[in-house]
Amino acid sequence: MDLPRIGLGRDVLSDVNEALGREWIVTNGLGGYASSTVLGINTRKYHGLLVAALNPPINRWVLLTKLDEELKIGTETYTLGANEFHDVIHPKGHRFLSNFVLSPLPTYKYAVEGVKVQKTVFMPYLKNATAAIYEVYNPLEQKVSVKVSPLVNSRHIYNTTDRETLPWSFIQKRCGEAVVIEPSDSLSSLILSSGNTGSFVDESWWVENVFFRVDSSRSEKSTDDYFRPGFFQFSVGPKEKKRFHVLAVAGKNSEEAQSRFLSFGKRTEDIELLYREELKRRRGLLEQFTKRHADLKRDGWLKWLIQAADSFVVSRASTKKKSVIAGYHWFDDWGRDALISLPGLTLVTGRFQDAQEILLTFERYCHKGVIPNRFSDKAGDIPLYNTVDATLWFFNAVLQYLKYTGDYSFVQEKLWKKMNQIVEYHVEGTIFGIHVEDDGLIAHGPQLTWMDATTVDRFVTPRDGKAVEIQALWYNALKTMQLLAKRFDQGDKTEKYYSMAENARASFSEKFWNPKDGCLFDVVAEDGADSTLRPNQVIALSLDFPIVDLKRAEKIVDVVWKRLWGIYGLKTLPETDPRYIGKYLGDWTHRDSAYHNGTVWAWLLGPFTTAFLKTKNHEERWRKFAFQSFLQPLFLEETNRVGLGTVSEIFDGDAPHLSRGCISQAWSIAEPLRAYIEDVAFVRPPHEKEVLETVAYS
C-alpha cells in the first residue's frame, strides 16, 4: 500500500520565513522523537534529531540536535548545514536544498555543482536511536569528500544550554569505530557511529548562541549552545553513487547506551533494513485500517491521520503497557487527553490491545477514585491528580471499548471493581473538593476541567462549582455502570445506578437550561449560574447517553455553530465577550489568558460534528455537509502546513486562524478522525446496538 507523501520544492524552500514555519516530526513509540524544519534549521529548543525518552515515555532529553554536512569538490568547500543566530543565518547551506519530501519519513535533497546529496532520517521503532541514511551521487571526473558533523547536547527538552554556566563538561571517547559522548555528571550517554562506511575525526569545539525564533516569539529561553565533537568523513569517487549512514543511540548511562548500540549492525545495509522494516510497519497500519474500512476512499489526508495517530500511542516503562502522549513536542501522557483520544487513536483503527493497555495504565494509577491528570516529565512516575473530568472520560473510554469489541470479560475482570470504587469515592467525596451533592450532580473545585490555564496569580477559567460537561460525563458514567451491572447480573447495582442517573438528569434539566440564550449554562454554582457561552455544552450532546433532549440539543448546536465557529475547530469564547482574546501570542501570561478565552481548539470538532449529526438523524445530505463544512478544512489544509502530516493543538480565534501551540496534538487527530468514521462515513461500532440496548430503562 502506498504511503502518504508531501513534497516541497524551491518555490517554498526559497522563502526562508515560509519554510521555517513548516516542521516535521518522527516518533519511536517510546515518547522520543526526531524533529526539525524543512530547511534543517532548528527553530525551537524542542527540535533535535534524537530526543530520547530516558524513562519512557517521559524524561525526554535532547542529545543529538542536528547533523550538518559539508562537501569538498576540488579546492572548493560547500556547507550544506545551516543554523540561525540573532539576525543572521550562518552558514547558508539551505540555499543548496532543492527538495524536501515527507513520505512519510523526511528526506532532504541537495544539489551542488551537479553533485546530489540525499539525507533520510528515521527512528527504529521502540528504540532510543536515530539514523540518517545518505546517498551521494557524484557525476564529476574527480572525487568528492563529504563531512558530516554531529552537533550534540545533553539537556531536558524544557531547558537550553549555556556552556559558560554548565556545571559539567562533555567527555568523549572512542569505542572501536564509534564515539561515545557523555556529560561528566553522567546523566545521559550518546553513541555516534557510521559503522564501517566512514571514519571519525576528533575536532571538538562549540557552536554558541544558536537562536530559536519560535521560542523567542513565546518569550522563552531562545539561545542554545551545541557541542561539536568532530566529524565523520566519507569519500565518493568519480562517477560513483555511494550510500552511507550515521547512527545515534542514546541511554541514560553508558552501559545502557552500549547495550543498545551493540544490537545494531555495522553496515549501512543493516541500517537500511531497519528503515525498510519501519516503512513496512507503517504500511501495516494502513492495511489494518483498510481491512476494517474497505469502502472508504484512501485519500492522502486520511493516510496522514492514521500515521499521525500511531505517533501518540507509546509504551510506558512503569506499567509495561501503552499510554498516550498528549502532544509533541512538550506534552507528557495526560489522563484526560489519553482517554478522550482513545477511541480515535485505537478503536476506529482496530488497535484493541493498545486500547486495553491504555485503560489498564490509568486504572493502575487511580488514587482515591481519581484518574491521574498527567505524569510529569521531570517527576518520574509520580502523577498529578488535579482533574475532575479525566476520571469520567475513563468511563466513556470503557463504553467505547465495549461498543467496538463486545469484550465484557476484560471489563469485568480488570476494571469493574475499580469503576465501582470510583463512584463510591465520588459519592463520599474525594480530593480537590470533588463530591456528589444531594441533587445528584458533581461539585468540584477550581482548575479541574480541561479549561485549566493559570497565570502567576489567578485561575484564568476556574469553572468551580458544577461545570456543564462534568455533569454530562457523570450522567454518562452512571448509565454505563447501569448497563454493566445489568450485564453482570447485579440487580441491586442496576437499580442503584439507574436511580442516581435519573436524579442527575432531572436536576440538570432544571438547573442548566438557559432560556434567554437558548443554550446551557457553562457552570452552576452556589452564587448563581454562569451564562458565558463556551463550547463545553456540545459534549453534553455528543455522548451515548445525552443528558439533554433532542429539542434543546438542536438549539444548542445552532447557537454554538453561529457564535463559536472557528474554521478549524470551536472558539472557547465568542468575539462579543469582553474577555475574548483573538491571538494566542506573547509570553506565558498572555498565552494562558487566551488559551480558553477565544482560542480555537481542533479536538472540539469531534463532539460538535457528532452532536450536529445527531440532531440531523445522520441523514446522508447532512453527513456530506458536515464533512465539507466542518472537517475538510482541517484535514486538507492543516496536514500540509506547520506540522506536516499532522494537526496542531490550537488556532487563533481571529481569522485567518493561524496554527499555534503544539505542532502535533493527540486529540486534534483522534476526535476529528473518530467523528469522520463514525458520524460522517457512518461506520458505526460493530457492537454498539447490543451494548447500548443493555440499559434496562429508557
Side-chain angles (χ1 to χ4, degrees):
M1 179 175 291
D2 292 338
L3 290 163
R5 181 183 188 276
I6 295 173
L8 302 176
R10 289 300 303 168
D11 57 327
V12 174
L13 301 176
S14 60
D15 185 334
V16 172
N17 290 327
E18 170 72 15
L20 289 182
R22 308 283 185 97
E23 304 174 51
W24 57 266
I25 185 163
V26 172
T27 62
N28 65 354
L30 294 174
Y33 63 84
S35 182
S36 187
T37 66
V38 299
L39 295 186
I41 297 173
N42 293 343
T43 59
R44 306 175 185 265
K45 58 179 170 284
Y46 302 100
H47 280 156
L49 289 192
L50 178 52
V51 181
L54 299 182
N55 179 26
I58 55 176
N59 195 24
R60 287 162 290 184
W61 283 60
V62 179
L63 299 180
L64 174 63
T65 56
K66 63 202 307 276
L67 295 170
D68 281 350
E69 298 78 27
E70 185 178 283
L71 298 183
K72 186 173 184 182
I73 304 173
T75 60
E76 295 294 322
T77 298
Y78 302 88
T79 301
L80 305 186
N83 294 293
E84 185 168 20
F85 302 88
H86 279 288
D87 303 320
V88 65
I89 294 177
H90 177 79
K92 300 183 183 297
H94 60 286
R95 294 178 300 177
F96 299 112
L97 186 61
S98 60
N99 198 250
F100 174 86
V101 177
L102 194 68
S103 181
L105 301 171
T107 295
Y108 293 86
K109 297 182 180 181
Y110 299 88
V112 183
E113 302 297 328
V115 177
K116 295 182 178 180
V117 179
Q118 178 175 294
K119 173 174 70 174
T120 299
V121 177
F122 80 101
M123 302 187 84
Y125 190 58
L126 298 180
K127 296 181 184 294
N128 270 321
T130 297
I133 299 175
Y134 290 88
E135 180 179 283
V136 179
Y137 172 59
N138 175 18
L140 307 178
E141 299 292 341
Q142 56 185 323
K143 76 171 186 177
V144 172
S145 295
V146 183
K147 288 183 180 179
V148 179
S149 298
L151 302 179
V152 308
N153 224 312
S154 179
R155 60 171 175 82
H156 193 275
I157 57 172
Y158 298 160
N159 301 327
T160 57
T161 297
D162 179 356
R163 66 167 298 203
E164 297 297 333
T165 61
L166 283 179
W168 49 264
S169 59
F170 275 115
I171 300 171
Q172 66 184 80
K173 56 187 177 182
R174 302 299 288 272
C175 181
E177 81 287 349
V179 58
V180 182
I181 304 167
E182 298 174 327
S184 55
D185 61 6
S186 301
L187 288 180
S188 68
S189 182
L190 177 67
I191 299 180
L192 299 167
S193 172
S194 63
N196 55 11
T197 60
S199 58
F200 187 80
V201 178
D202 293 291
E203 190 185 64
S204 60
W205 42 273
W206 285 82
V207 178
E208 299 183 50
N209 296 313
V210 176
F211 177 65
F212 300 136
R213 60 168 58 190
V214 174
D215 295 326
S216 177
S217 73
R218 294 163 60 91
S219 299
E220 298 176 12
K221 293 179 181 178
S222 57
T223 59
D224 200 23
D225 295 343
Y226 297 161
F227 179 65
R228 179 182 179 273
F231 59 87
F232 291 98
Q233 187 167 263
F234 309 89
S235 179
V236 184
K239 307 292 183 181
E240 183 183 11
K241 180 184 286 185
K242 189 171 185 177
R243 296 175 70 84
F244 52 88
H245 75 276
V246 172
L247 172 67
V249 181
K252 57 179 175 282
N253 53 53
S254 57
E255 292 78 14
E256 184 178 86
Q258 285 276 7
S259 175
R260 291 174 178 168
F261 174 70
L262 292 174
S263 68
F264 291 89
K266 295 183 177 181
R267 302 175 305 160
T268 296
E269 292 84 350
D270 298 322
I271 303 302
E272 289 178 331
L273 176 60
L274 290 174
Y275 173 70
R276 291 193 297 272
E277 288 176 351
E278 175 59 11
L279 291 181
K280 181 180 179 181
R281 188 187 73 83
R282 288 170 173 263
R283 287 192 185 93
L285 298 173
L286 299 179
E287 291 167 357
Q288 182 179 18
F289 181 86
T290 300
K291 287 179 182 178
R292 300 190 58 82
H293 306 290
D295 294 335
L296 291 181
K297 185 179 179 182
R298 294 187 292 276
D299 291 306
W301 59 263
L302 183 55
K303 292 181 179 180
W304 279 120
L305 294 184
I306 298 164
Q307 296 285 304
D310 173 68
S311 69
F312 304 107
V313 180
V314 295
S315 294
R316 168 159 274 282
S318 67
T319 60
K320 302 297 189 294
K321 290 179 171 58
K322 299 294 185 182
S323 187
V324 174
I325 285 290
Y328 294 102
H329 302 90
W330 53 80
F331 280 111
D332 322 310
D333 42 346
W334 288 61
R336 172 190 302 114
D337 300 55
L339 296 165
I340 290 174
S341 300
L342 183 145
L345 299 185
T346 65
L347 299 181
V348 302
T349 56
R351 301 174 65 157
F352 303 138
Q353 178 63 37
D354 291 339
Q356 279 192 9
E357 293 188 15
I358 293 165
L359 291 170
L360 290 173
T361 286
F362 287 96
E363 182 272 344
R364 170 177 168 176
Y365 283 98
C366 184
H367 173 65
K368 294 185 177 180
V370 178
I371 295 291
N373 187 29
R374 59 176 286 214
F375 294 92
S376 172
D377 203 85
K378 286 189 173 182
D381 298 319
I382 302 173
L384 304 175
Y385 288 92
N386 55 325
T387 175
V388 62
D389 56 340
T391 311
L392 304 178
W393 281 112
F394 180 81
F395 286 82
N396 185 66
V398 172
L399 179 61
Q400 303 314 308
Y401 173 80
L402 286 171
K403 285 164 56 181
Y404 274 89
T405 67
D407 187 2
Y408 285 96
S409 60
F410 166 73
V411 174
Q412 186 171 24
E413 293 171 13
K414 303 293 186 180
L415 306 177
W416 177 238
K417 180 179 179 181
K418 185 62 64 69
M419 293 170 77
N420 280 278
Q421 291 174 351
I422 289 172
V423 173
E424 291 306 313
Y425 266 109
H426 280 64
V427 170
E428 295 170 7
T430 184
I431 55 178
F432 296 104
I434 300 169
H435 66 282
V436 177
E437 297 199 332
D438 292 341
D439 59 4
L441 301 177
I442 287 186
H444 54 85
Q447 204 222 351
L448 298 180
T449 72
W450 78 279
M451 291 186 165
D452 56 359
T454 63
T455 61
V456 174
D457 58 354
R458 68 186 178 98
F459 301 119
V460 179
T461 46
R463 303 186 73 228
D464 51 319
K466 298 173 182 175
V468 61
E469 79 277 15
I470 303 307
Q471 314 316 316
L473 286 163
W474 173 238
Y475 175 75
N476 198 65
L478 292 172
K479 297 300 286 185
T480 299
M481 293 299 286
Q482 177 193 334
L483 76 84
L484 288 174
K486 185 171 189 296
R487 174 75 185 201
F488 302 151
D489 295 322
Q490 298 185 19
D492 291 346
K493 287 185 176 180
T494 302
E495 186 63 35
K496 169 187 172 182
Y497 292 128
Y498 165 71
S499 298
M500 291 175 68
E502 287 301 295
N503 186 23
R505 184 168 66 170
S507 297
F508 185 91
S509 180
E510 175 189 344
K511 297 181 178 183
F512 274 85
W513 181 245
N514 177 0
K516 178 182 176 182
D517 297 327
C519 60
L520 298 175
F521 292 119
D522 189 56
V523 179
V524 171
E526 290 183 1
D527 58 354
D530 181 2
S531 61
T532 301
L533 180 62
R534 295 193 183 276
N536 305 301
Q537 55 195 298
V538 299
I539 295 170
L541 319 179
S542 65
L543 299 170
D544 285 299
F545 301 107
I547 200 168
V548 179
D549 63 45
L550 182 60
K551 185 176 180 180
R552 286 181 172 179
E554 291 174 336
K555 295 179 179 179
I556 293 166
V557 168
D558 190 54
V559 169
V560 169
W561 185 16
K562 287 180 178 177
R563 299 187 60 194
L564 296 178
W565 183 245
I567 306 298
Y568 306 111
L570 297 183
K571 297 178 184 180
T572 39
L573 205 61
E575 296 176 40
T576 54
D577 193 296
R579 294 163 294 179
Y580 174 84
I581 301 175
K583 288 185 170 57
Y584 182 82
L585 294 171
D587 61 16
W588 276 105
T589 297
H590 188 275
R591 296 200 315 272
D592 279 342
S593 296
Y595 210 31
H596 300 112
N597 283 325
T599 297
V600 170
W601 289 76
W603 83 270
L604 293 170
L605 283 178
F608 176 76
T609 301
T610 298
F612 176 86
L613 288 175
K614 273 188 174 184
T615 66
K616 304 299 184 184
N617 201 31
H618 287 90
E619 293 179 14
E620 184 177 1
R621 66 188 180 98
W622 287 113
R623 289 191 281 117
K624 290 180 179 179
F625 175 87
F627 176 71
Q628 293 171 355
S629 302
F630 305 153
L631 299 178
Q632 184 170 281
L634 187 79
F635 292 160
L636 269 63
E637 297 172 19
E638 180 62 16
T639 53
N640 284 281
R641 65 186 188 190
V642 188
L644 297 179
T646 186
V647 177
S648 298
E649 175 192 10
I650 52 177
F651 303 82
D652 284 341
D654 287 351
H657 308 295
L658 296 178
S659 304
R660 305 293 185 189
C662 275
I663 67 166
S664 184
Q665 193 78 1
W667 58 12
S668 296
I669 292 286
E671 267 300 280
L673 175 60
R674 178 204 58 77
Y676 170 72
I677 298 298
E678 293 183 353
D679 298 301
V680 172
F682 207 51
V683 181
R684 304 303 296 179
H687 299 274
E688 179 178 46
K689 187 175 181 180
E690 65 184 76
V691 169
L692 298 183
E693 285 185 349
T694 305
V695 177
Y697 308 91
S698 61

